[in-house]
Amino acid sequence: MSLAKYKQKRDFTQTTEPVAGKASGKKHIFVIQRHHASRLHYDFRLEVDGVLKSWAVPKGPSMNPEDKRLAMEVEDHPYDYKDFEGTIPKGNYGAGTVYIWDKGTFELLRPDGGHFDKEALKEIKSGDLKIVMKGKKLRGEFALVKMKGRDENAWLLIKHRDKYAVAEYNSEDYTPEKVKALGTKAKEEMKKTGKKKARL
């Protein structure tokens, strides 16, 4: 998969975001990053075909099946982004603080015995990706469904009803207070000085 769009948006002399990376294991990883940029959101990333397919989830993921979270598909990110935390400096794309909120592995809910990446890409292309997540916070079955009649990048992230489902869920309740405070502080500092001082 191409990372051209990802690289075009970034100045790697200013940001410490990774340029590339290569998967080393047989299991496919996922990472959820809390991104306190101009607007707080959560980046939902799944390893498929050597890159991280990515969606921005404004309200954060939920373990409540009643919550159909808007998920805006964005450019593919390099594999090494799974470990990225820190502050993207003011003036750069996505300026703000990034915190790894959850990570783990995932499987396809309905594998047909074929090649994992080909199957996953086929489901993404069809606008109906169903997975089983094995993280610390996100567990069990989820669906990413492309919305019809809306922006071409608009999807919904939905928790299936399984043994991990709950009645109420707010991703911010599972974010450390120091991370929330640091993100707010860094944002205020960038507004005042334009300098990067805060670090996770």
Side-chain angles (χ1 to χ4, degrees), residues 3 6 10 28 32 37 44-45 58 66-67 72 85 107 109-110 113 136 146 168 176 178 192 197:
L3 293 173
Y6 169 85
R10 291 161 177 83
H28 287 68
I32 313 296
F44 186 92
R45 310 192 195 279
E66 295 296 325
D67 295 334
M72 298 300 294
E85 278 190 323
E107 300 172 353
L109 178 60
R110 48 190 181 192
K136 292 182 178 179
K146 197 167 188 178
E168 293 184 9
K178 65 178 182 180
K192 292 178 181 179
K197 293 189 181 295

mmCIF file with all atom_site columns, all heavy atoms in Angstrom, residues 3 6 10 28 32 37 44-45 58 66-67 72 85 107 109-110 113 136 146 168 176 178 192 197:
data_model
loop_
_atom_site.group_PDB
_atom_site.id
_atom_site.type_symbol
_atom_site.label_atom_id
_atom_site.label_alt_id
_atom_site.label_comp_id
_atom_site.label_asym_id
_atom_site.label_entity_id
_atom_site.label_seq_id
_atom_site.pdbx_PDB_ins_code
_atom_site.Cartn_x
_atom_site.Cartn_y
_atom_site.Cartn_z
_atom_site.occupancy
_atom_site.B_iso_or_equiv
_atom_site.pdbx_formal_charge
_atom_site.auth_seq_id
_atom_site.auth_comp_id
_atom_site.auth_asym_id
_atom_site.auth_atom_id
_atom_site.pdbx_PDB_model_num
ATOM 1   N N   . LEU A 1 3   ? 2.239   4.983   0.906  1.00 0.00 ? 3   LEU A N   1
ATOM 2   C CA  . LEU A 1 3   ? 2.287   5.941   2.010  1.00 0.00 ? 3   LEU A CA  1
ATOM 3   C C   . LEU A 1 3   ? 2.542   7.349   1.485  1.00 0.00 ? 3   LEU A C   1
ATOM 4   O O   . LEU A 1 3   ? 2.886   8.255   2.245  1.00 0.00 ? 3   LEU A O   1
ATOM 5   C CB  . LEU A 1 3   ? 3.380   5.541   2.993  1.00 0.00 ? 3   LEU A CB  1
ATOM 6   C CG  . LEU A 1 3   ? 3.159   4.233   3.766  1.00 0.00 ? 3   LEU A CG  1
ATOM 7   C CD1 . LEU A 1 3   ? 4.397   3.879   4.576  1.00 0.00 ? 3   LEU A CD1 1
ATOM 8   C CD2 . LEU A 1 3   ? 1.933   4.335   4.671  1.00 0.00 ? 3   LEU A CD2 1
ATOM 9   N N   . TYR A 1 6   ? 0.540   10.119  3.152  1.00 0.00 ? 6   TYR A N   1
ATOM 10  C CA  . TYR A 1 6   ? 1.022   10.309  4.528  1.00 0.00 ? 6   TYR A CA  1
ATOM 11  C C   . TYR A 1 6   ? 2.284   11.166  4.530  1.00 0.00 ? 6   TYR A C   1
ATOM 12  O O   . TYR A 1 6   ? 2.410   12.119  5.299  1.00 0.00 ? 6   TYR A O   1
ATOM 13  C CB  . TYR A 1 6   ? 1.294   8.942   5.153  1.00 0.00 ? 6   TYR A CB  1
ATOM 14  C CG  . TYR A 1 6   ? 2.042   8.984   6.470  1.00 0.00 ? 6   TYR A CG  1
ATOM 15  C CD1 . TYR A 1 6   ? 1.381   9.175   7.671  1.00 0.00 ? 6   TYR A CD1 1
ATOM 16  C CD2 . TYR A 1 6   ? 3.436   8.812   6.509  1.00 0.00 ? 6   TYR A CD2 1
ATOM 17  C CE1 . TYR A 1 6   ? 2.057   9.212   8.877  1.00 0.00 ? 6   TYR A CE1 1
ATOM 18  C CE2 . TYR A 1 6   ? 4.121   8.835   7.709  1.00 0.00 ? 6   TYR A CE2 1
ATOM 19  C CZ  . TYR A 1 6   ? 3.430   9.036   8.890  1.00 0.00 ? 6   TYR A CZ  1
ATOM 20  O OH  . TYR A 1 6   ? 4.123   9.069   10.076 1.00 0.00 ? 6   TYR A OH  1
ATOM 21  N N   . ARG A 1 10  ? 3.583   15.632  5.834  1.00 0.00 ? 10  ARG A N   1
ATOM 22  C CA  . ARG A 1 10  ? 4.463   15.788  6.990  1.00 0.00 ? 10  ARG A CA  1
ATOM 23  C C   . ARG A 1 10  ? 5.865   16.262  6.631  1.00 0.00 ? 10  ARG A C   1
ATOM 24  O O   . ARG A 1 10  ? 6.414   15.898  5.600  1.00 0.00 ? 10  ARG A O   1
ATOM 25  C CB  . ARG A 1 10  ? 4.536   14.450  7.752  1.00 0.00 ? 10  ARG A CB  1
ATOM 26  C CG  . ARG A 1 10  ? 3.231   14.114  8.433  1.00 0.00 ? 10  ARG A CG  1
ATOM 27  C CD  . ARG A 1 10  ? 3.109   12.654  8.800  1.00 0.00 ? 10  ARG A CD  1
ATOM 28  N NE  . ARG A 1 10  ? 1.861   12.413  9.526  1.00 0.00 ? 10  ARG A NE  1
ATOM 29  C CZ  . ARG A 1 10  ? 0.684   12.230  8.921  1.00 0.00 ? 10  ARG A CZ  1
ATOM 30  N NH1 . ARG A 1 10  ? 0.613   12.222  7.600  1.00 0.00 ? 10  ARG A NH1 1
ATOM 31  N NH2 . ARG A 1 10  ? -0.405  12.043  9.645  1.00 0.00 ? 10  ARG A NH2 1
ATOM 32  N N   . HIS A 1 28  ? -1.804  -9.894  13.295 1.00 0.00 ? 28  HIS A N   1
ATOM 33  C CA  . HIS A 1 28  ? -2.008  -8.517  12.849 1.00 0.00 ? 28  HIS A CA  1
ATOM 34  C C   . HIS A 1 28  ? -2.365  -7.640  14.044 1.00 0.00 ? 28  HIS A C   1
ATOM 35  O O   . HIS A 1 28  ? -3.214  -8.005  14.862 1.00 0.00 ? 28  HIS A O   1
ATOM 36  C CB  . HIS A 1 28  ? -3.105  -8.466  11.790 1.00 0.00 ? 28  HIS A CB  1
ATOM 37  C CG  . HIS A 1 28  ? -2.674  -9.013  10.470 1.00 0.00 ? 28  HIS A CG  1
ATOM 38  N ND1 . HIS A 1 28  ? -2.397  -10.350 10.270 1.00 0.00 ? 28  HIS A ND1 1
ATOM 39  C CD2 . HIS A 1 28  ? -2.436  -8.396  9.284  1.00 0.00 ? 28  HIS A CD2 1
ATOM 40  C CE1 . HIS A 1 28  ? -2.024  -10.537 9.019  1.00 0.00 ? 28  HIS A CE1 1
ATOM 41  N NE2 . HIS A 1 28  ? -2.032  -9.376  8.393  1.00 0.00 ? 28  HIS A NE2 1
ATOM 42  N N   . ILE A 1 32  ? -5.021  2.060   19.043 1.00 0.00 ? 32  ILE A N   1
ATOM 43  C CA  . ILE A 1 32  ? -5.934  3.192   19.172 1.00 0.00 ? 32  ILE A CA  1
ATOM 44  C C   . ILE A 1 32  ? -5.146  4.311   19.837 1.00 0.00 ? 32  ILE A C   1
ATOM 45  O O   . ILE A 1 32  ? -4.624  4.130   20.942 1.00 0.00 ? 32  ILE A O   1
ATOM 46  C CB  . ILE A 1 32  ? -7.166  2.862   20.048 1.00 0.00 ? 32  ILE A CB  1
ATOM 47  C CG1 . ILE A 1 32  ? -7.788  1.532   19.639 1.00 0.00 ? 32  ILE A CG1 1
ATOM 48  C CG2 . ILE A 1 32  ? -8.169  3.998   19.991 1.00 0.00 ? 32  ILE A CG2 1
ATOM 49  C CD1 . ILE A 1 32  ? -8.360  1.491   18.256 1.00 0.00 ? 32  ILE A CD1 1
ATOM 50  N N   . ALA A 1 37  ? -5.571  17.044  19.127 1.00 0.00 ? 37  ALA A N   1
ATOM 51  C CA  . ALA A 1 37  ? -5.140  18.033  18.130 1.00 0.00 ? 37  ALA A CA  1
ATOM 52  C C   . ALA A 1 37  ? -6.082  19.233  18.239 1.00 0.00 ? 37  ALA A C   1
ATOM 53  O O   . ALA A 1 37  ? -6.542  19.564  19.330 1.00 0.00 ? 37  ALA A O   1
ATOM 54  C CB  . ALA A 1 37  ? -5.183  17.402  16.743 1.00 0.00 ? 37  ALA A CB  1
ATOM 55  N N   . PHE A 1 44  ? -8.128  5.154   15.038 1.00 0.00 ? 44  PHE A N   1
ATOM 56  C CA  . PHE A 1 44  ? -8.361  3.709   15.051 1.00 0.00 ? 44  PHE A CA  1
ATOM 57  C C   . PHE A 1 44  ? -7.570  3.117   13.896 1.00 0.00 ? 44  PHE A C   1
ATOM 58  O O   . PHE A 1 44  ? -7.848  3.402   12.735 1.00 0.00 ? 44  PHE A O   1
ATOM 59  C CB  . PHE A 1 44  ? -9.868  3.468   14.870 1.00 0.00 ? 44  PHE A CB  1
ATOM 60  C CG  . PHE A 1 44  ? -10.307 2.041   15.008 1.00 0.00 ? 44  PHE A CG  1
ATOM 61  C CD1 . PHE A 1 44  ? -10.728 1.542   16.222 1.00 0.00 ? 44  PHE A CD1 1
ATOM 62  C CD2 . PHE A 1 44  ? -10.326 1.194   13.907 1.00 0.00 ? 44  PHE A CD2 1
ATOM 63  C CE1 . PHE A 1 44  ? -11.165 0.230   16.350 1.00 0.00 ? 44  PHE A CE1 1
ATOM 64  C CE2 . PHE A 1 44  ? -10.761 -0.117  14.017 1.00 0.00 ? 44  PHE A CE2 1
ATOM 65  C CZ  . PHE A 1 44  ? -11.173 -0.601  15.245 1.00 0.00 ? 44  PHE A CZ  1
ATOM 66  N N   . ARG A 1 45  ? -6.541  2.298   14.191 1.00 0.00 ? 45  ARG A N   1
ATOM 67  C CA  . ARG A 1 45  ? -5.633  1.823   13.149 1.00 0.00 ? 45  ARG A CA  1
ATOM 68  C C   . ARG A 1 45  ? -5.533  0.293   13.167 1.00 0.00 ? 45  ARG A C   1
ATOM 69  O O   . ARG A 1 45  ? -5.314  -0.310  14.213 1.00 0.00 ? 45  ARG A O   1
ATOM 70  C CB  . ARG A 1 45  ? -4.249  2.434   13.327 1.00 0.00 ? 45  ARG A CB  1
ATOM 71  C CG  . ARG A 1 45  ? -4.263  3.966   13.502 1.00 0.00 ? 45  ARG A CG  1
ATOM 72  C CD  . ARG A 1 45  ? -2.869  4.551   13.371 1.00 0.00 ? 45  ARG A CD  1
ATOM 73  N NE  . ARG A 1 45  ? -2.807  5.905   13.874 1.00 0.00 ? 45  ARG A NE  1
ATOM 74  C CZ  . ARG A 1 45  ? -3.200  7.003   13.202 1.00 0.00 ? 45  ARG A CZ  1
ATOM 75  N NH1 . ARG A 1 45  ? -3.719  6.860   11.997 1.00 0.00 ? 45  ARG A NH1 1
ATOM 76  N NH2 . ARG A 1 45  ? -3.093  8.199   13.736 1.00 0.00 ? 45  ARG A NH2 1
ATOM 77  N N   . PRO A 1 58  ? -14.210 10.728  16.183 1.00 0.00 ? 58  PRO A N   1
ATOM 78  C CA  . PRO A 1 58  ? -14.340 11.929  17.027 1.00 0.00 ? 58  PRO A CA  1
ATOM 79  C C   . PRO A 1 58  ? -14.734 11.655  18.470 1.00 0.00 ? 58  PRO A C   1
ATOM 80  O O   . PRO A 1 58  ? -14.182 12.257  19.392 1.00 0.00 ? 58  PRO A O   1
ATOM 81  C CB  . PRO A 1 58  ? -15.430 12.744  16.294 1.00 0.00 ? 58  PRO A CB  1
ATOM 82  C CG  . PRO A 1 58  ? -15.308 12.319  14.863 1.00 0.00 ? 58  PRO A CG  1
ATOM 83  C CD  . PRO A 1 58  ? -14.980 10.858  14.926 1.00 0.00 ? 58  PRO A CD  1
ATOM 84  N N   . GLU A 1 66  ? -25.091 0.130   21.237 1.00 0.00 ? 66  GLU A N   1
ATOM 85  C CA  . GLU A 1 66  ? -26.021 1.188   20.855 1.00 0.00 ? 66  GLU A CA  1
ATOM 86  C C   . GLU A 1 66  ? -25.299 2.408   20.296 1.00 0.00 ? 66  GLU A C   1
ATOM 87  O O   . GLU A 1 66  ? -25.904 3.242   19.615 1.00 0.00 ? 66  GLU A O   1
ATOM 88  C CB  . GLU A 1 66  ? -26.868 1.610   22.065 1.00 0.00 ? 66  GLU A CB  1
ATOM 89  C CG  . GLU A 1 66  ? -27.794 0.528   22.596 1.00 0.00 ? 66  GLU A CG  1
ATOM 90  C CD  . GLU A 1 66  ? -28.845 0.134   21.571 1.00 0.00 ? 66  GLU A CD  1
ATOM 91  O OE1 . GLU A 1 66  ? -29.313 1.007   20.814 1.00 0.00 ? 66  GLU A OE1 1
ATOM 92  O OE2 . GLU A 1 66  ? -29.182 -1.068  21.516 1.00 0.00 ? 66  GLU A OE2 1
ATOM 93  N N   . ASP A 1 67  ? -24.002 2.531   20.577 1.00 0.00 ? 67  ASP A N   1
ATOM 94  C CA  . ASP A 1 67  ? -23.220 3.676   20.106 1.00 0.00 ? 67  ASP A CA  1
ATOM 95  C C   . ASP A 1 67  ? -22.657 3.399   18.718 1.00 0.00 ? 67  ASP A C   1
ATOM 96  O O   . ASP A 1 67  ? -21.734 2.595   18.567 1.00 0.00 ? 67  ASP A O   1
ATOM 97  C CB  . ASP A 1 67  ? -22.061 3.972   21.067 1.00 0.00 ? 67  ASP A CB  1
ATOM 98  C CG  . ASP A 1 67  ? -22.543 4.421   22.426 1.00 0.00 ? 67  ASP A CG  1
ATOM 99  O OD1 . ASP A 1 67  ? -23.651 4.974   22.511 1.00 0.00 ? 67  ASP A OD1 1
ATOM 100 O OD2 . ASP A 1 67  ? -21.805 4.205   23.404 1.00 0.00 ? 67  ASP A OD2 1
ATOM 101 N N   . MET A 1 72  ? -14.068 8.514   10.374 1.00 0.00 ? 72  MET A N   1
ATOM 102 C CA  . MET A 1 72  ? -13.682 9.086   9.085  1.00 0.00 ? 72  MET A CA  1
ATOM 103 C C   . MET A 1 72  ? -12.378 8.442   8.601  1.00 0.00 ? 72  MET A C   1
ATOM 104 O O   . MET A 1 72  ? -11.336 8.550   9.267  1.00 0.00 ? 72  MET A O   1
ATOM 105 C CB  . MET A 1 72  ? -13.508 10.595  9.202  1.00 0.00 ? 72  MET A CB  1
ATOM 106 C CG  . MET A 1 72  ? -14.787 11.326  9.595  1.00 0.00 ? 72  MET A CG  1
ATOM 107 S SD  . MET A 1 72  ? -16.152 11.096  8.411  1.00 0.00 ? 72  MET A SD  1
ATOM 108 C CE  . MET A 1 72  ? -15.474 11.928  6.970  1.00 0.00 ? 72  MET A CE  1
ATOM 109 N N   . GLU A 1 85  ? 4.090   7.933   20.270 1.00 0.00 ? 85  GLU A N   1
ATOM 110 C CA  . GLU A 1 85  ? 3.493   8.784   21.288 1.00 0.00 ? 85  GLU A CA  1
ATOM 111 C C   . GLU A 1 85  ? 4.317   10.058  21.350 1.00 0.00 ? 85  GLU A C   1
ATOM 112 O O   . GLU A 1 85  ? 5.504   10.046  21.061 1.00 0.00 ? 85  GLU A O   1
ATOM 113 C CB  . GLU A 1 85  ? 3.523   8.114   22.674 1.00 0.00 ? 85  GLU A CB  1
ATOM 114 C CG  . GLU A 1 85  ? 2.413   7.138   22.937 1.00 0.00 ? 85  GLU A CG  1
ATOM 115 C CD  . GLU A 1 85  ? 2.376   6.699   24.399 1.00 0.00 ? 85  GLU A CD  1
ATOM 116 O OE1 . GLU A 1 85  ? 3.445   6.529   25.013 1.00 0.00 ? 85  GLU A OE1 1
ATOM 117 O OE2 . GLU A 1 85  ? 1.279   6.529   24.929 1.00 0.00 ? 85  GLU A OE2 1
ATOM 118 N N   . GLU A 1 107 ? -8.385  -10.210 14.554 1.00 0.00 ? 107 GLU A N   1
ATOM 119 C CA  . GLU A 1 107 ? -8.630  -11.241 13.549 1.00 0.00 ? 107 GLU A CA  1
ATOM 120 C C   . GLU A 1 107 ? -9.873  -10.883 12.750 1.00 0.00 ? 107 GLU A C   1
ATOM 121 O O   . GLU A 1 107 ? -10.694 -10.073 13.201 1.00 0.00 ? 107 GLU A O   1
ATOM 122 C CB  . GLU A 1 107 ? -8.841  -12.607 14.233 1.00 0.00 ? 107 GLU A CB  1
ATOM 123 C CG  . GLU A 1 107 ? -7.661  -13.073 15.061 1.00 0.00 ? 107 GLU A CG  1
ATOM 124 C CD  . GLU A 1 107 ? -7.991  -14.321 15.875 1.00 0.00 ? 107 GLU A CD  1
ATOM 125 O OE1 . GLU A 1 107 ? -9.183  -14.714 15.867 1.00 0.00 ? 107 GLU A OE1 1
ATOM 126 O OE2 . GLU A 1 107 ? -7.078  -14.882 16.502 1.00 0.00 ? 107 GLU A OE2 1
ATOM 127 N N   . LEU A 1 109 ? -13.547 -11.632 11.560 1.00 0.00 ? 109 LEU A N   1
ATOM 128 C CA  . LEU A 1 109 ? -14.655 -12.372 12.155 1.00 0.00 ? 109 LEU A CA  1
ATOM 129 C C   . LEU A 1 109 ? -15.098 -13.519 11.260 1.00 0.00 ? 109 LEU A C   1
ATOM 130 O O   . LEU A 1 109 ? -15.514 -14.571 11.740 1.00 0.00 ? 109 LEU A O   1
ATOM 131 C CB  . LEU A 1 109 ? -15.834 -11.419 12.412 1.00 0.00 ? 109 LEU A CB  1
ATOM 132 C CG  . LEU A 1 109 ? -17.106 -12.044 12.983 1.00 0.00 ? 109 LEU A CG  1
ATOM 133 C CD1 . LEU A 1 109 ? -16.835 -12.707 14.333 1.00 0.00 ? 109 LEU A CD1 1
ATOM 134 C CD2 . LEU A 1 109 ? -18.199 -10.994 13.119 1.00 0.00 ? 109 LEU A CD2 1
ATOM 135 N N   . ARG A 1 110 ? -14.988 -13.307 9.940  1.00 0.00 ? 110 ARG A N   1
ATOM 136 C CA  . ARG A 1 110 ? -15.493 -14.308 9.009  1.00 0.00 ? 110 ARG A CA  1
ATOM 137 C C   . ARG A 1 110 ? -14.436 -14.714 7.980  1.00 0.00 ? 110 ARG A C   1
ATOM 138 O O   . ARG A 1 110 ? -14.625 -14.530 6.766  1.00 0.00 ? 110 ARG A O   1
ATOM 139 C CB  . ARG A 1 110 ? -16.737 -13.774 8.308  1.00 0.00 ? 110 ARG A CB  1
ATOM 140 C CG  . ARG A 1 110 ? -16.555 -12.368 7.760  1.00 0.00 ? 110 ARG A CG  1
ATOM 141 C CD  . ARG A 1 110 ? -17.837 -11.749 7.279  1.00 0.00 ? 110 ARG A CD  1
ATOM 142 N NE  . ARG A 1 110 ? -17.551 -10.418 6.750  1.00 0.00 ? 110 ARG A NE  1
ATOM 143 C CZ  . ARG A 1 110 ? -18.488 -9.517  6.460  1.00 0.00 ? 110 ARG A CZ  1
ATOM 144 N NH1 . ARG A 1 110 ? -19.755 -9.799  6.662  1.00 0.00 ? 110 ARG A NH1 1
ATOM 145 N NH2 . ARG A 1 110 ? -18.154 -8.335  5.971  1.00 0.00 ? 110 ARG A NH2 1
ATOM 146 N N   . GLY A 1 113 ? -10.549 -18.716 4.903  1.00 0.00 ? 113 GLY A N   1
ATOM 147 C CA  . GLY A 1 113 ? -9.405  -19.590 4.673  1.00 0.00 ? 113 GLY A CA  1
ATOM 148 C C   . GLY A 1 113 ? -8.394  -19.052 3.686  1.00 0.00 ? 113 GLY A C   1
ATOM 149 O O   . GLY A 1 113 ? -7.373  -19.683 3.435  1.00 0.00 ? 113 GLY A O   1
ATOM 150 N N   . LYS A 1 136 ? -6.560  -4.502  25.511 1.00 0.00 ? 136 LYS A N   1
ATOM 151 C CA  . LYS A 1 136 ? -6.783  -4.381  26.952 1.00 0.00 ? 136 LYS A CA  1
ATOM 152 C C   . LYS A 1 136 ? -8.120  -3.697  27.225 1.00 0.00 ? 136 LYS A C   1
ATOM 153 O O   . LYS A 1 136 ? -8.797  -4.009  28.199 1.00 0.00 ? 136 LYS A O   1
ATOM 154 C CB  . LYS A 1 136 ? -5.639  -3.597  27.602 1.00 0.00 ? 136 LYS A CB  1
ATOM 155 C CG  . LYS A 1 136 ? -4.310  -4.347  27.587 1.00 0.00 ? 136 LYS A CG  1
ATOM 156 C CD  . LYS A 1 136 ? -3.226  -3.541  28.285 1.00 0.00 ? 136 LYS A CD  1
ATOM 157 C CE  . LYS A 1 136 ? -1.910  -4.305  28.305 1.00 0.00 ? 136 LYS A CE  1
ATOM 158 N NZ  . LYS A 1 136 ? -0.823  -3.530  28.968 1.00 0.00 ? 136 LYS A NZ  1
ATOM 159 N N   . LYS A 1 146 ? -19.247 1.220   5.985  1.00 0.00 ? 146 LYS A N   1
ATOM 160 C CA  . LYS A 1 146 ? -19.225 2.466   5.224  1.00 0.00 ? 146 LYS A CA  1
ATOM 161 C C   . LYS A 1 146 ? -20.636 3.012   5.102  1.00 0.00 ? 146 LYS A C   1
ATOM 162 O O   . LYS A 1 146 ? -21.583 2.282   4.787  1.00 0.00 ? 146 LYS A O   1
ATOM 163 C CB  . LYS A 1 146 ? -18.619 2.228   3.847  1.00 0.00 ? 146 LYS A CB  1
ATOM 164 C CG  . LYS A 1 146 ? -18.171 3.505   3.148  1.00 0.00 ? 146 LYS A CG  1
ATOM 165 C CD  . LYS A 1 146 ? -17.309 3.176   1.952  1.00 0.00 ? 146 LYS A CD  1
ATOM 166 C CE  . LYS A 1 146 ? -16.692 4.431   1.369  1.00 0.00 ? 146 LYS A CE  1
ATOM 167 N NZ  . LYS A 1 146 ? -15.808 4.115   0.213  1.00 0.00 ? 146 LYS A NZ  1
ATOM 168 N N   . GLU A 1 168 ? -23.126 1.156   28.945 1.00 0.00 ? 168 GLU A N   1
ATOM 169 C CA  . GLU A 1 168 ? -22.657 2.539   28.829 1.00 0.00 ? 168 GLU A CA  1
ATOM 170 C C   . GLU A 1 168 ? -21.142 2.535   28.686 1.00 0.00 ? 168 GLU A C   1
ATOM 171 O O   . GLU A 1 168 ? -20.455 1.705   29.288 1.00 0.00 ? 168 GLU A O   1
ATOM 172 C CB  . GLU A 1 168 ? -23.051 3.366   30.061 1.00 0.00 ? 168 GLU A CB  1
ATOM 173 C CG  . GLU A 1 168 ? -24.543 3.580   30.212 1.00 0.00 ? 168 GLU A CG  1
ATOM 174 C CD  . GLU A 1 168 ? -24.879 4.485   31.393 1.00 0.00 ? 168 GLU A CD  1
ATOM 175 O OE1 . GLU A 1 168 ? -23.939 5.079   31.976 1.00 0.00 ? 168 GLU A OE1 1
ATOM 176 O OE2 . GLU A 1 168 ? -26.065 4.587   31.726 1.00 0.00 ? 168 GLU A OE2 1
ATOM 177 N N   . PRO A 1 176 ? -6.112  8.127   31.407 1.00 0.00 ? 176 PRO A N   1
ATOM 178 C CA  . PRO A 1 176 ? -5.537  8.679   32.641 1.00 0.00 ? 176 PRO A CA  1
ATOM 179 C C   . PRO A 1 176 ? -5.697  10.196  32.726 1.00 0.00 ? 176 PRO A C   1
ATOM 180 O O   . PRO A 1 176 ? -5.557  10.900  31.718 1.00 0.00 ? 176 PRO A O   1
ATOM 181 C CB  . PRO A 1 176 ? -4.057  8.282   32.552 1.00 0.00 ? 176 PRO A CB  1
ATOM 182 C CG  . PRO A 1 176 ? -4.047  7.084   31.660 1.00 0.00 ? 176 PRO A CG  1
ATOM 183 C CD  . PRO A 1 176 ? -5.126  7.334   30.647 1.00 0.00 ? 176 PRO A CD  1
ATOM 184 N N   . LYS A 1 178 ? -3.749  12.352  33.976 1.00 0.00 ? 178 LYS A N   1
ATOM 185 C CA  . LYS A 1 178 ? -2.515  13.079  33.639 1.00 0.00 ? 178 LYS A CA  1
ATOM 186 C C   . LYS A 1 178 ? -2.370  13.246  32.134 1.00 0.00 ? 178 LYS A C   1
ATOM 187 O O   . LYS A 1 178 ? -1.797  14.228  31.662 1.00 0.00 ? 178 LYS A O   1
ATOM 188 C CB  . LYS A 1 178 ? -1.291  12.370  34.228 1.00 0.00 ? 178 LYS A CB  1
ATOM 189 C CG  . LYS A 1 178 ? -1.021  10.993  33.663 1.00 0.00 ? 178 LYS A CG  1
ATOM 190 C CD  . LYS A 1 178 ? 0.241   10.396  34.282 1.00 0.00 ? 178 LYS A CD  1
ATOM 191 C CE  . LYS A 1 178 ? 0.561   9.030   33.686 1.00 0.00 ? 178 LYS A CE  1
ATOM 192 N NZ  . LYS A 1 178 ? 1.792   8.438   34.289 1.00 0.00 ? 178 LYS A NZ  1
ATOM 193 N N   . LYS A 1 192 ? -0.018  29.751  22.830 1.00 0.00 ? 192 LYS A N   1
ATOM 194 C CA  . LYS A 1 192 ? 0.668   30.928  23.361 1.00 0.00 ? 192 LYS A CA  1
ATOM 195 C C   . LYS A 1 192 ? 2.052   31.149  22.736 1.00 0.00 ? 192 LYS A C   1
ATOM 196 O O   . LYS A 1 192 ? 2.422   32.264  22.406 1.00 0.00 ? 192 LYS A O   1
ATOM 197 C CB  . LYS A 1 192 ? 0.837   30.789  24.886 1.00 0.00 ? 192 LYS A CB  1
ATOM 198 C CG  . LYS A 1 192 ? -0.471  30.844  25.647 1.00 0.00 ? 192 LYS A CG  1
ATOM 199 C CD  . LYS A 1 192 ? -0.215  30.650  27.124 1.00 0.00 ? 192 LYS A CD  1
ATOM 200 C CE  . LYS A 1 192 ? -1.518  30.681  27.925 1.00 0.00 ? 192 LYS A CE  1
ATOM 201 N NZ  . LYS A 1 192 ? -1.269  30.461  29.382 1.00 0.00 ? 192 LYS A NZ  1
ATOM 202 N N   . LYS A 1 197 ? 6.870   21.860  24.180 1.00 0.00 ? 197 LYS A N   1
ATOM 203 C CA  . LYS A 1 197 ? 7.562   21.614  25.437 1.00 0.00 ? 197 LYS A CA  1
ATOM 204 C C   . LYS A 1 197 ? 7.068   20.365  26.144 1.00 0.00 ? 197 LYS A C   1
ATOM 205 O O   . LYS A 1 197 ? 7.806   19.695  26.821 1.00 0.00 ? 197 LYS A O   1
ATOM 206 C CB  . LYS A 1 197 ? 7.416   22.835  26.355 1.00 0.00 ? 197 LYS A CB  1
ATOM 207 C CG  . LYS A 1 197 ? 8.151   24.059  25.814 1.00 0.00 ? 197 LYS A CG  1
ATOM 208 C CD  . LYS A 1 197 ? 8.154   25.159  26.862 1.00 0.00 ? 197 LYS A CD  1
ATOM 209 C CE  . LYS A 1 197 ? 8.857   26.402  26.321 1.00 0.00 ? 197 LYS A CE  1
ATOM 210 N NZ  . LYS A 1 197 ? 10.281  26.174  26.054 1.00 0.00 ? 197 LYS A NZ  1
#
